Amino acid sequence: MQYNNPDTIIALAHRNFGAAYQFVPPMSVTLGLAECLSARKVRLFSDTGAWKQTALRVALFGPVTAEYPMTLLQRHADAILTATAATADHPIGQHPEWALF
């Protein structure tokens, strides 16, 4: 068990309670990274849209590093990450006229 930090409370309040932070529990139960990585199968689902667009890209395309623990799943034998279209979307994909390269 751990105390939720202010960023987590704000995010949960925004996504689930219309920003009413007083309804967010002050503590959460969490699994450690070792437990997650030792599982035979890992199934993740992200449906939070813009909140997780960057995290999704880092998890899928970033270098494997403990700085971003989600990237460690790139080496897992049976990990599947599913995301909604809103989470997989990105402003760059909406603007092909942007010359970025």
Side-chain angles (χ1 to χ4, degrees):
M1 294 194 51
Q2 68 180 24
Y3 283 99
N4 291 327
N5 66 36
D7 289 343
T8 298
I9 290 172
I10 291 168
L12 291 171
H14 183 268
R15 292 193 303 248
N16 299 306
F17 301 107
Y21 66 89
Q22 62 270 33
F23 295 123
V24 177
M27 297 182 79
S28 295
V29 175
T30 185
L31 293 173
L33 192 55
E35 288 84 4
C36 293
L37 293 175
S38 67
R40 283 185 289 127
K41 295 181 180 184
V42 177
R43 302 295 183 260
L44 300 169
F45 182 77
S46 181
D47 68 345
T48 53
W51 280 91
K52 295 295 180 189
Q53 288 175 339
T54 299
L56 176 67
R57 278 167 180 67
V58 170
L60 295 175
F61 308 116
V64 177
T65 173
E67 184 177 356
Y68 296 100
M70 283 286 292
T71 62
L72 300 174
L73 290 174
Q74 293 176 21
R75 294 184 177 157
H76 194 280
D78 192 1
I80 297 175
L81 192 152
T82 303
T84 61
T87 304
D89 196 13
H90 193 275
I92 293 173
Q94 299 297 318
H95 296 277
E97 72 276 8
W98 290 355
L100 302 173
F101 302 100

